[in-house]
Amino acid sequence: MKTILTGIRANSVLTLGNYLGALLPMVRLANKYSKTGEYQINIFAPDLHSIISEVDGDLQENILRTVKYYLAAGLEINDNVHIYRQSRVSAHSELCWILNCVATMGETARMTQYKEKSEGRESCNVAIFDYPILMAADILLYSASYVPIGEDQFQHIELTRNLATRFNNRFKEVFVVPVKTSEQVKFMGTDEGIRIRDLLNPEKKMSKSTKAENSKIMLDDAPERAAKKIMSATTDSLGKVKFDMWAQPGISNLLQIEALTTGVPLAEVTAAWAGETRYGELKKQVASSVADMLRDFQTRLAEVSDAQVYELLEVGEKYANEIANAKLLEVQKAVGLR
Ligand code: TYM
């Protein structure tokens, strides 16, 4: 059986970027493949990754809410869908250490996320540097071939592939190498990775850490408020709707959001709006789609109970420990620790 695996840090309420870039694609893939009998679906809360940076409020509550997000987004549960917390499976930390012995300082220092997070700081914690190695352990322990994530994380998949290949060559063929990011996007059903842009500054990705409230839509925003944020999004002065992320990032972002929130393929949305000169019309449409989506999502979220989540975690963590410990033992034997 092949494995599809992903995780989202639970440091705060998530953004529309997390939702459209990672959560929703995972839910769509899970619902499509979990019933075929050929795929295992692993969704986990990377809580060890969470404590690397500041957590907004209580971590336990954030984890609970993030798991609920998947259910509210329509994740269908069956025997092939597993949900667990990273810190409840100690093999993640143990494999991270072993992979640290295979990874080089150079390749880890090249990671954009590390460079961005450490730049200009007098000091930063070691975990910011080690972040992608733990991520590689998260993936390799479960032999995951597919890892649905946003475009900002692609570098980490390539690093994971390099580490797995190096380990297999140096010791023994124990790891399944995840597929290339170009294949990942095909599997996700998109032509390229998804990067939802900052509404005010569309050259940048939408991020929870950006201060300006109107630059991002949070999943707990009132639908009317979210609609207003779309209406005030930065566009351009070219006066013609076209999908072109380089020349018209603001407009392209709106088209992308429209496609993902409605489930209509981007090519169709783009064709329907091609040549439109009134940006206000496009904004009104996107604002209404986002508001509708949030309204539905928030209603469903309120219906998911804590008990439901804890039950899923209990079953999921039993499964995860079995798979991860078996893989860890193979690795320990390969390097001579057992
Ligand atoms: P995190 O929490 O930083 O991001 C969660 C997911 O959201 C995606 N994302 C976006 N996608 C599109 N547009 C945006 N503006 C946007 N902002 C965020 C990210 O690409 C990511 O998929 N390192 C992972 C967590 C993790 C993980 C793993 C994922 C830890 N171990 C193993 C997969 C497999 C992360 O960045 O989370």
Side-chain angles (χ1 to χ4, degrees):
M1 263 177 140
K2 292 211 157 109
T3 299
I4 310 174
L5 174 148
T6 202
I8 295 189
R9 279 177 308 141
N11 286 50
S12 65
V13 172
L14 298 185
T15 68
L16 187 70
N18 295 127
Y19 183 77
L20 297 179
L23 213 134
L24 198 55
M26 181 57 168
V27 169
R28 288 184 177 151
L29 286 180
N31 291 350
K32 182 169 171 192
Y33 290 108
S34 69
K35 284 166 289 199
T36 62
E38 288 169 36
Y39 292 86
Q40 295 286 349
I41 313 293
N42 288 13
I43 293 175
F44 74 103
D47 49 358
L48 296 170
H49 279 111
S50 283
I51 60 169
I52 293 177
S53 52
E54 212 175 311
V55 176
D56 241 10
D58 182 68
L59 180 56
Q60 294 301 316
E61 268 172 34
N62 284 336
I63 292 171
L64 204 64
R65 190 179 51 234
T66 305
V67 175
K68 287 182 180 177
Y69 281 158
Y70 282 98
L71 300 173
L75 178 70
E76 294 163 18
I77 301 296
N78 58 49
D79 288 349
N80 295 326
V81 179
H82 317 281
I83 305 185
Y84 52 93
R85 290 162 285 191
Q86 184 188 38
S87 71
R88 306 289 168 134
V89 187
S90 59
H92 289 244
S93 309
E94 294 180 62
L95 180 60
C96 176
W97 181 259
I98 295 174
L99 293 177
N100 276 337
C101 304
V102 175
T104 68
M105 297 285 285
E107 65 190 341
T108 312
R110 273 199 298 279
M111 296 295 111
T112 309
Q113 189 166 310
Y114 162 68
K115 286 200 261 179
E116 281 174 5
K117 297 228 156 115
S118 60
E119 224 164 47
R121 290 207 197 171
E122 265 189 23
S123 82
C124 74
N125 63 37
V126 175
I128 286 184
F129 182 72
D130 209 26
Y131 182 114
I133 313 292
L134 178 59
M135 184 163 163
D138 300 337
I139 297 167
L140 298 177
L141 275 176
Y142 302 90
S143 307
S145 303
Y146 299 104
V147 187
I149 41 173
E151 189 244 27
D152 61 315
Q153 296 293 312
F154 281 6
Q155 237 189 345
H156 297 162
I157 298 295
E158 292 305 332
L159 177 70
T160 303
R161 285 169 45 79
N162 290 340
L163 293 178
T165 309
R166 193 177 310 147
F167 186 98
N168 286 348
N169 291 340
R170 191 175 298 170
F171 300 101
K172 194 174 169 218
E173 192 90 11
V174 288
F175 290 130
V176 169
V177 181
V179 306
K180 284 195 234 151
T181 47
S182 55
E183 298 294 317
Q184 301 274 354
V185 291
K186 277 193 211 142
F187 188 72
M188 281 167 74
T190 48
D191 294 335
E192 50 184 57
I194 298 168
R195 170 178 292 238
I196 301 299
R197 312 290 175 129
D198 181 302
L199 294 175
L200 297 180
N201 201 347
E203 281 79 28
K204 295 193 335 194
K205 74 162 184 175
M206 182 182 287
S207 159
K208 35 197 168 193
S209 54
T210 309
K211 294 256 155 28
E213 282 303 318
N214 283 346
S215 69
K216 56 192 177 185
I217 290 176
M218 306 305 295
L219 292 179
D220 64 351
D221 275 353
E224 302 69 33
R225 181 149 188 253
K228 280 199 186 126
K229 290 181 181 178
I230 296 282
M231 293 309 291
S232 66
T234 302
T235 51
D236 55 61
S237 54
L238 297 174
K240 213 172 193 181
V241 173
K242 189 172 170 219
F243 188 85
D244 181 342
M245 268 301 177
W246 289 106
Q248 299 188 260
I251 289 293
S252 306
N253 194 33
L254 293 177
L255 291 168
Q256 176 82 275
I257 293 174
E258 173 69 7
L260 293 166
T261 47
T262 56
V264 177
L266 180 62
E268 272 177 44
V269 172
T270 304
W273 286 92
E276 170 68 60
T277 52
R278 294 160 303 169
Y279 287 171
E281 292 303 307
L282 173 66
K283 281 185 172 178
K284 268 194 232 157
Q285 172 60 44
V286 180
S288 134
S289 301
V290 169
D292 287 349
M293 182 231 103
L294 279 180
R295 213 168 282 121
D296 282 357
F297 175 77
Q298 290 168 359
T299 308
R300 284 200 302 267
L301 185 64
E303 288 163 3
V304 185
S305 72
D306 291 4
Q308 210 177 331
V309 174
Y310 284 124
E311 216 174 286
L312 287 172
L313 289 173
E314 199 182 321
V315 182
E317 282 158 11
K318 190 165 172 289
Y319 162 88
N321 272 294
E322 275 169 23
I323 302 287
N325 288 337
K327 181 56 77 181
L328 180 65
L329 182 60
E330 269 187 70
V331 174
Q332 288 167 329
K333 283 184 179 161
V335 298
L337 288 166
R338 295 288 184 277

